[in-house]
């Protein structure tokens, strides 16, 4: 198949009629990479749980080993940050028998947009939408149990071109153990974006058992910037592909 035929496949499948289509691009490689409309994050559900499960899921059981988190976290860079206990409201000299101890478990991953099949001109000029989506499990552990921070980075991985941060608050008076969605769409972000840095933090608690907050279906998806272009596109991997 010729380069022009591969280019036509890319244009027809992803609605790129208005995108820059230089002859210097290896269109066969682009088509095989399928950079559009698929999840560019690897191992998107390391806890091996799925947000497409029934709307009410049973509470996650406490683990017997403090600090041990069940899951396969390959492809993620992880770290744990212990949170000092707040003793400000305890009178001096009072004996505290048991207080919950909290920690943040951080998971992060960097997506190389060019390595995934995108080319310079389509990022800089066409600026396809970059959609972020994530799910976390509701609980009563704390008022804040989840944080998301996503940055669009330049080629040197140091300059932040755009970013989105959110720390949703939990209503601890009602808890149905449902999955909560967090999402954001980057558009019109300007030139020179080459990497997407995805980071989320999940709060864990230790009190007579180690209770974890789970995530599922984390995703970074590049899609044509105009919604009407998606009408005839079949997504090769849905956002809801949540099992590793």
């Amino acid at each position: 198949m010729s380069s022009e035929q591969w280019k036509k496949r890319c244009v027809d499948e992803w609605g790129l009629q208005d995108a820059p289509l230089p002859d210097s691009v290896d269109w066969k490689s682009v088509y095989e990479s399928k950079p559009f409309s698929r999840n560019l994050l690897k191992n998107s559900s390391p806890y091996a749980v799925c947000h497409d499960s029934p709307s009410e899921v049973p509470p996650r059981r406490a683990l017997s080993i403090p600090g041990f988190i069940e899951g396969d976290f390959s492809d993620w860079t992880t770290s744990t940050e212990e949170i000092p206990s707040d003793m400000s409201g305890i009178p001096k000299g009072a004996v505290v028998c048991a207080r919950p101890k909290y920690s943040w478990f951080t998971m992060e991953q960097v997506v190389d947009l060019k390595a995934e099949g995108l080319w310079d001109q389509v990022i800089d000029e066409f600026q396809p939408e970059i959609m972020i989506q994530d799910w976390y499990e509701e609980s009563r552990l704390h008022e804040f149990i989840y944080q998301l921070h996503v940055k669009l980075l330049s080629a040197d991985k140091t300059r932040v071109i755009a970013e989105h941060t959110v720390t949703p608050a939990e209503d601890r008076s009602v808890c149905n153990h449902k999955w909560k969605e967090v999402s954001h769409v980057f558009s019109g972000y300007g030139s020179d974006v080459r990497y997407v840095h995805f980071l989320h933090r999940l709060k864990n608690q230790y009190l007579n058992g180690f209770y974890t907050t789970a995530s599922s279906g984390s995703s970074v998806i590049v899609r044509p910037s105009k919604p009407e272009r998606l009408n005839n596109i079949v997504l090769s991997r849905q956002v809801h592909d949540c099992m590793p």
Side-chain angles (χ1 to χ4, degrees), residues 134-139 168-171 178-182:
D134 202 14
W135 301 77
Y136 70 95
E137 191 178 20
E138 177 187 56
S139 76
E170 305 304 305
D171 181 359
K178 293 182 179 180
W179 291 102
K180 290 189 172 181
E181 178 189 7
V182 180

Side-chain angles (χ1 to χ4, degrees), residues 48-202:
V49 290
C50 184
H51 62 273
D52 281 340
S53 57
S55 59
E56 293 190 5
V57 297
R60 294 179 63 78
R61 294 189 300 174
L63 302 174
S64 58
I65 305 174
F68 175 75
I69 301 175
E70 292 181 326
D72 171 16
F73 301 100
S74 56
D75 298 307
W76 293 93
T77 299
T78 64
S79 61
T80 300
E81 175 191 349
E82 300 296 331
I83 303 173
S85 297
D86 181 9
M87 310 294 285
S88 59
I90 300 177
K92 186 176 180 180
V95 177
V96 180
C97 297
R99 285 182 64 83
K101 296 181 179 179
Y102 296 100
S103 62
W104 283 114
F105 182 60
T106 299
M107 301 166 54
E108 54 190 312
Q109 193 172 143
V110 177
V111 174
D112 183 337
L113 296 175
K114 291 187 68 175
E116 295 295 341
L118 295 166
W119 58 101
D120 291 346
Q121 295 88 340
V122 78
I123 302 172
D124 296 340
E125 300 173 29
F126 192 59
Q127 295 185 30
E129 291 180 340
I130 300 175
M131 186 178 77
I132 311 300
Q133 189 176 40
D134 202 14
W135 301 77
Y136 70 95
E137 191 178 20
E138 177 187 56
S139 76
R140 289 193 176 101
L141 286 186
H142 194 264
E143 182 181 2
F144 302 104
I145 60 174
Y146 173 90
Q147 294 179 348
L148 174 69
H149 191 188
V150 183
K151 296 180 287 187
L152 305 187
L153 304 176
S154 60
D156 62 7
K157 293 186 180 181
T158 60
R159 184 162 60 92
V160 179
I161 297 173
E163 61 186 319
H164 177 73
T165 300
V166 62
T167 304
E170 305 304 305
D171 181 359
R172 302 177 75 186
S173 65
V174 178
C175 180
N176 295 315
H177 299 286
K178 293 182 179 180
W179 291 102
K180 290 189 172 181
E181 178 189 7
V182 180
S183 62
H184 180 72
V185 176
F186 290 99
S187 61
Y189 38 78
S191 61
D192 300 327
V193 171
R194 294 296 180 269
Y195 297 92
V196 180
H197 181 256
F198 180 102
L199 179 152
H200 66 198
R201 307 174 83 199
L202 306 167

Side-chain angles (χ1 to χ4, degrees), residues 17-48:
Q17 287 81 3
D18 300 329
L21 306 169
D23 293 335
S24 57
V25 171
D26 183 346
W27 293 105
K28 180 176 183 293
S29 295
V30 170
Y31 184 81
E32 291 175 345
S33 297
K34 300 190 181 302
F36 295 100
S37 305
R38 70 174 173 89
N39 191 357
L40 302 182
L41 287 179
K42 298 177 176 62
N43 188 17
S44 62
S45 296
Y47 287 89

